[in-house]
C-alpha cells in the first residue's frame, strides 16, 4: 500500500470498526497498518465488507487475522494453488526451459526439492509424496518475512554459446503466471541456481546428455511467449 494512502487507511479502519462499536487504539492501528501494507485500500474495504456480510461471523468485530485470511487465504490454500500452478508448468513447459514464476515462494520451494529439472523428472509414483512435501515447504516459507530464492529456475538447456555455434536461437526464459509479477520475482531473486541442502533424496538424478549437439533444438513447447531474455552467462 503506498504511503500516501496510510492516512486514508487509518480513517477507514476507525470508521469500519466503529460499526462494531470498537475503538481503535494506537497499538491496534499499527498492527492493522502492517498487516494491510501488502494490499490496496480497495482490497481492504472489500475484505471488511465480506466479513460484515458473513452470516456467521459478521456479528463479531474482525480480528487482523480474519481480514488477512480473507485477503490472501490460508497458507494451506495458497500452497495447494501454488502446487497446481507448478504441476501445470511442469507438464506444459517441461525440464528443458528456464522458468520464472510470479510467486517467489515457489522458487524457494522448488530449489529445496532439488531444482526444476529434478522436479520435472520425478517418477510418477512419487507425485503424491512430492506434493505433500511441496505444500509443507511452501507453508513454512510463506510465513517467513524475508525470503532468499533463485531468480530463475534453471532448465536443462545447453549454454547459449552451444546454440550459437549451430546457428540456432538461444532459448529464452519462460514466465509462468502474471507477467508483471514474474518480472518483480526475477528482479528480486539471487543469481544462485544451486539446490539447497534440503533437496529430496528420492528424486531421480538428471540423466547425462551428449554435449556435442544442442539439447533441445527440435523441442516443441506449447508455452506462452517468453517474457524475459535469457540470463547472462
Amino acid at each position: 500500500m503506498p504511503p500516501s494512502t496510510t492516512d486514508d487507511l487509518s480513517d477507514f479502519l476507525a470508521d469500519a470498526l466503529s460499526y462494531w462499536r470498537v475503538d481503535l487504539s494506537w497499538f491496534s492501528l499499527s498492527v492493522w497498518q502492517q498487516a494491510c501494507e501488502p494490499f490496496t485500500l480497495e482490497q481492504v474495504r472489500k475484505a471488511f465488507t465480506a466479513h460484515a456480510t458473513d452470516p456467521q461471523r459478521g456479528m463479531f468485530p474482525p480480528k487482523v487475522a480474519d481480514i488477512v485470511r480473507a485477503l490472501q487465504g490460508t497458507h494451506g490454500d495458497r500452497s495447494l494453488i501454488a502446487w497446481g500452478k507448478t504441476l501445470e508448468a511442469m507438464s506444459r513447459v517441461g525440464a528443458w526451459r528456464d522458468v520464472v514464476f510470479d510467486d517467489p515462494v515457489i522458487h524457494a520451494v522448488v530449489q529445496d526439492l532439488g531444482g526444476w529439472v529434478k522436479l520435472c523428472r520425478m517418477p510418477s509414483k512419487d507425485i503424491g509424496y512430492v506434493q505433500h512435501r511441496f505444500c509443507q515447504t511452501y507453508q513454512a516459507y510463506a510465513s517467513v518475512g524475508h525470503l532468499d530464492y533463485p531468480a530463475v529456475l534453471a532448465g536443462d538447456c545447453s549454454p547459449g554459446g552451444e546454440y550459437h555455434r549451430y546457428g540456432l536461437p538461444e532459448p529464452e526464459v519462460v514466465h509462468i503466471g502474471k507477467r508483471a509479477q514474474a518480472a518483480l520475482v526475477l528482479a528480486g531473486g539471487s543469481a544462485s541456481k544451486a539446490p539447497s541442502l534440503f533437496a529430496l533424496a528420492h528424486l531421480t538424478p538428471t540423466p547425462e546428455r551428449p554435449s556435442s549437439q544442442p539439447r533441445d533444438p527440435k523441442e516443441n513447447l506449447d508455452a506462452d511467449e517468453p517474457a524475459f531474455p535469457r540470463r547472462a552467462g
Side-chain angles (χ1 to χ4, degrees), residues 31 66 108 111 156:
V31 174
D66 295 326
Q111 184 182 34
D156 202 22

Side-chain angles (χ1 to χ4, degrees), residues 77-117:
D77 294 336
R78 292 171 59 193
S79 69
L80 289 173
I81 293 173
W83 169 251
K85 181 183 297 184
T86 303
L87 193 62
E88 180 184 6
M90 289 162 56
S91 174
R92 182 169 58 89
V93 179
W96 296 107
R97 299 289 292 272
D98 296 352
V99 297
V100 175
F101 284 84
D102 60 357
D103 182 352
V105 182
I106 292 179
H107 283 223
V109 174
V110 171
Q111 184 182 34
D112 270 9
L113 297 184
W116 180 244
V117 174

Side-chain angles (χ1 to χ4, degrees), residues 106-177:
I106 292 179
H107 283 223
V109 174
V110 171
Q111 184 182 34
D112 270 9
L113 297 184
W116 180 244
V117 174
K118 286 188 176 182
L119 187 63
C120 288
R121 292 176 177 165
M122 67 175 173
S124 57
K125 64 182 178 63
D126 292 336
I127 190 169
Y129 174 68
V130 174
Q131 176 183 350
H132 176 70
R133 288 299 302 272
F134 181 100
C135 291
Q136 275 192 328
T137 309
Y138 188 99
Q139 292 173 40
Y141 276 127
S143 62
V144 175
H146 177 72
L147 184 66
D148 292 323
Y149 62 90
V152 175
L153 294 178
D156 202 22
C157 52
S158 301
E162 191 170 343
Y163 281 86
H164 296 162
R165 187 172 66 180
Y166 289 91
L168 297 171
E170 186 177 349
E172 296 179 320
V173 178
V174 179
H175 83 284
I176 308 296

